Amino acid sequence: MSFLCRGWFALGAEFENTLRWKVGNGQAVSFWSDRWCNELPLSIVFPRLYRLAENKDLTVNQCWVTTSETGDWLLQLRRITQEEEVEDIAQLMAQLQSVVIDPGVDDEIIWNCQTSRAYTVKEGYKWWRRDTPEVPGMARRTSWLWKRKMPLKVKIFLWVALQDRLLTKSYRAKWRPESSATCELCDTDVETVDHLFCACQALIPFWGMLRTGSGAALRFNNKDELWEQMVSTKRPGDTRAQAEVRKILIPAALWAIWLCRNKKIFQNQRFYTENLWENTTHFIVDWGCGLAGAGAVQLSGQDFQIDPG
């Protein structure tokens, strides 16, 4: 099993520890194996009683006997011979006194990491990132990203790159040491996110063309500087449409670079700066459809003919 798979399995087990059952009718909850009466399963809290259980797979409902008034617990245990076992039974019964079995209510899984006990994707993500140091400006960047007018797959690509988790050759080499980590475009340096998008010598002409055609600064040494320029592209005097085009300028360039890089690796297609330029302008026009006030949007002499939709 790869280290990646082992990591997912470990995360699943860790996440499972944050869940517990809220008992209704008790039909879906394992009496001994699930978390419902304690933060831990009863098999762990009372190991001596668990060893004495005649049937270790009973549900909570099967251990509850309805009487004329309310009900009572029936623990199907083998012969008890030790004083410690008697004390364990007393402690267990004391904990079970607070549990109410309601035949008309389904059992419910609740999440221990939230005051409301309700799981949400947002809170789940916070839990997943709980031990990860907060990157300065990360919240501002991600908020900016999800509001942009571009395909979802491009937003996800940019978000992964922002986390430095893009599947570059150096990242891939972490679990495949025998594979080459050299950049496919320049064939000189190790391919990282910073190198591919900010320092690759093969892309210098492309960034120069884009800088001249758009009038944007487009000078950065690493992905943090790149992101700061990406979220701060508006210039004085820009129309609303021009401002929106500037916001998707760098994302379009990064997406064009990534696609070109993949075609060279997986389809053995040659790399041409002109193709990058054409793809970038195509993405800008395509993603810009529907921008208010759009039409022929010009940035420093470069026309982007955008259909206002």
Side-chain angles (χ1 to χ4, degrees), residues 47-257:
R48 285 188 290 260
L49 297 183
Y50 181 64
R51 287 194 295 268
L52 293 175
E54 294 182 353
N55 186 345
K56 295 178 172 57
D57 297 322
L58 292 176
T59 65
V60 172
N61 181 271
Q62 291 171 325
C63 295
W64 175 259
V65 178
T66 303
T67 62
S68 57
E69 297 180 358
T70 54
D72 203 357
W73 296 99
L74 178 62
L75 304 182
Q76 301 178 28
L77 305 175
R78 293 192 293 272
R79 181 179 300 180
I80 296 175
T81 59
Q82 299 182 22
E83 183 177 347
E84 292 85 355
E85 296 167 353
V86 175
E87 293 176 356
D88 284 348
I89 290 179
Q91 293 179 21
L92 175 57
M93 296 304 294
Q95 293 185 21
L96 294 177
Q97 292 303 314
S98 61
V99 179
V100 177
I101 302 299
D102 189 340
V105 178
D106 292 334
D107 302 317
E108 178 185 1
I109 295 178
I110 58 177
W111 193 43
N112 287 335
C113 297
Q114 180 73 354
T115 305
S116 66
R117 302 294 189 182
Y119 175 82
T120 63
V121 173
K122 179 179 179 180
E123 294 301 326
Y125 176 75
K126 287 182 180 179
W127 172 85
W128 177 55
R129 300 281 295 178
R130 66 196 184 284
D131 296 325
T132 304
E134 183 66 28
V135 177
M138 179 67 74
R140 168 172 167 260
R141 295 173 186 176
T142 53
S143 176
W144 178 92
L145 174 61
W146 299 123
K147 295 177 182 178
R148 298 286 65 83
K149 295 180 180 296
M150 63 184 78
L152 178 60
K153 63 182 178 181
V154 179
K155 295 181 182 181
I156 294 174
F157 155 76
L158 293 170
W159 183 82
V160 172
L162 175 61
Q163 309 292 324
D164 203 15
R165 293 294 186 270
L166 201 61
L167 197 59
T168 58
K169 298 183 77 172
S170 63
Y171 193 83
R172 184 171 180 266
K174 291 181 179 180
W175 69 86
R176 288 196 175 180
E178 72 281 2
S179 62
S180 171
T182 304
C183 175
E184 195 72 24
L185 300 184
C186 67
D187 198 27
T188 303
D189 298 315
V190 173
E191 185 191 67
T192 62
V193 171
D194 282 347
H195 168 79
L196 182 61
F197 297 130
C198 307
C200 182
Q201 295 297 308
L203 295 176
I204 290 179
F206 166 67
W207 286 116
M209 292 176 63
L210 200 60
R211 190 180 302 117
T212 301
S214 67
L218 302 181
R219 298 185 185 279
F220 28 74
N221 297 312
N222 53 59
K223 66 179 181 299
D224 291 325
E225 293 181 7
L226 184 152
W227 272 91
E228 283 308 308
Q229 287 201 27
M230 195 184 306
V231 301
S232 308
T233 51
K234 185 176 180 180
R235 298 175 59 182
D238 274 349
T239 64
R240 181 178 177 181
Q242 286 176 319
E244 288 299 322
V245 168
R246 289 191 192 280
K247 289 176 182 178
I248 59 179
L249 179 65
I250 295 179
L254 299 183
W255 184 238
I257 291 171

Side-chain angles (χ1 to χ4, degrees), residues 15-16 18-24 28-29 34-35 106-112 116-119:
F15 181 74
E16 186 179 357
T18 68
L19 305 175
R20 60 169 298 177
W21 283 94
K22 180 180 179 181
V23 174
V29 185
D34 286 332
R35 294 174 176 82
D106 292 334
D107 302 317
E108 178 185 1
I109 295 178
I110 58 177
W111 193 43
N112 287 335
S116 66
R117 302 294 189 182
Y119 175 82

